[in-house]
Amino acid sequence: MNALFRPYLLRFIIVFFDDILIYNHSFSDHLTHLEQAFQLFLQGQFVLKISKCSFTQAQIEYLHHVVSTQGVQPVASKVQAVQHWPIPHSTRALRSFFGLAGFYQGLFEDMSF
């Protein structure tokens, strides 16, 4: 998928294995970029399973983040998980917490805990 979408990666497409996000600033740009992506799918002989697709969404959850016109935010349940995480009493528990918090590193800056 990365090879297929290389010309557009991080311009308006993000790929994570077989999860693809096409993001835009305007609806007209979105339609243009969808058409470009569909052309690449055809060239690569890929098919889409329509039941797994969402199109023209103003907000969508993608890889445990909420992507919208306001930017990227962590999913509220993950913020609550960090806020209510029990005090680690072992190295393993501490590493587990660091793993969760590290996944959202940079997204918690403006949030009050």
Side-chain angles (χ1 to χ4, degrees):
M1 293 310 241
N2 282 318
L4 181 68
F5 289 110
R6 187 167 317 285
Y8 305 122
L9 288 178
L10 301 179
R11 288 184 43 216
F12 59 86
I13 293 179
I14 297 173
V15 173
F16 185 77
F17 293 104
D18 64 348
D19 288 333
I20 301 162
L21 177 69
I22 301 173
Y23 56 94
N24 305 101
H25 293 289
S26 72
F27 185 70
S28 62
D29 285 346
H30 190 60
L31 294 178
T32 300
H33 294 152
L34 281 174
E35 185 175 352
Q36 290 172 317
F38 290 154
Q39 288 298 324
L40 288 175
F41 279 126
L42 286 172
Q43 289 172 13
Q45 297 181 339
F46 286 90
V47 295
L48 301 176
K49 187 171 184 177
I50 197 69
S51 64
K52 292 186 173 188
C53 297
S54 296
F55 298 101
T56 66
Q57 302 294 306
Q59 175 177 306
I60 193 163
E61 188 175 319
Y62 181 75
L63 302 176
H64 303 290
H65 293 81
V66 176
V67 181
S68 71
T69 55
Q70 279 69 41
V72 179
Q73 300 292 323
V75 172
S77 63
K78 298 298 181 183
V79 174
Q80 290 174 347
V82 171
Q83 289 174 328
H84 298 101
W85 198 269
I87 295 171
H89 295 290
S90 69
T91 303
R92 183 178 181 158
L94 184 61
R95 285 184 181 147
S96 180
F97 174 75
F98 284 154
L100 175 67
F103 183 76
Y104 289 106
Q105 182 179 354
L107 291 178
F108 290 132
E109 293 170 358
D110 297 328
M111 297 183 172
S112 58
F113 284 98

